[in-house]
Amino acid sequence: MRTAHAAFSMSLEGDTSFVLLALPAEAYGSDDRISVTLDGTPVEWSIEPGAHDTRELTFTAGAGTLDVDIRSTLTHLQRPVDGGDPARYLEDSRYVEASALRGFVDERFGRASGFEQIDAMRNWIARGFTYEPSLSEIDDSAATTLEKSGGMCRDYTHVMIGLARAAGIPARYAGVYAPGLLPPDFHAVAEVYVDGDWWVVDATGLAPRGSLIRIATGADALETAWATTTGKPVRLRSLTVEAEDDGLPEGTVDDPRQRYRIL
């Protein structure tokens, strides 16, 4: 059994519409308990379907203190996630300028193909980048992160996606819960389409890939942001994210040599 928990508090200045991506994907059939309150009063919410079985928690709230608590219990996927067209994930996107990276990829990784090429890319990022959130800016793209040689999980993921797409391998962004991740938080990983299936790649190596829980899937961080708001300004007061897998031995670390799909 696996569990996921996200809780946050926000200060709202007036009417604000929310789209939250914090629920496990529809394909898990998870048992969810959802609480949304404004100054202690329940707020009406709904769940809308998104791409690749993403579930969008949507609502509108006025001025006050917003509190959201989401608790989910699940096992593994009850059915395959909607895969979509892999060709879509060869194109440039907001944070991934794959076309600008083709020369670099041809020169550095062009002698390999398939998994061998993906492994070379993953290892190059892991060895050459510094995981340092202070290096990351909200508008950093894959090319910007390449220049910095560091950042946080979203930045590592954008670079991995960009290198793969530049090599002609479809690659996409997945927002996940990650049992074993320290400190606990929302996490981002890449998925690459090789040999007819989507395989998860995480150059950060921060969490065991075999226990990841899919939340949202898209071209990059723009399509998978955990919170999108429209309306009045919002201030985040607190955020807590937790995930556990009772089948994951304590102290388990990721083995980059293994192949995993998000299940």
Side-chain angles (χ1 to χ4, degrees), residues 183-195:
D185 202 348
F186 291 120
H187 193 44
V189 296
E191 289 183 292
V192 297
Y193 193 75
V194 179
D195 291 347

Side-chain angles (χ1 to χ4, degrees), residues 191-214:
E191 289 183 292
V192 297
Y193 193 75
V194 179
D195 291 347
D197 211 339
W198 289 100
W199 303 91
V200 62
V201 182
D202 183 7
T204 73
L206 292 176
R209 287 169 294 143
S211 290
L212 300 179
I213 302 169
R214 185 187 304 274

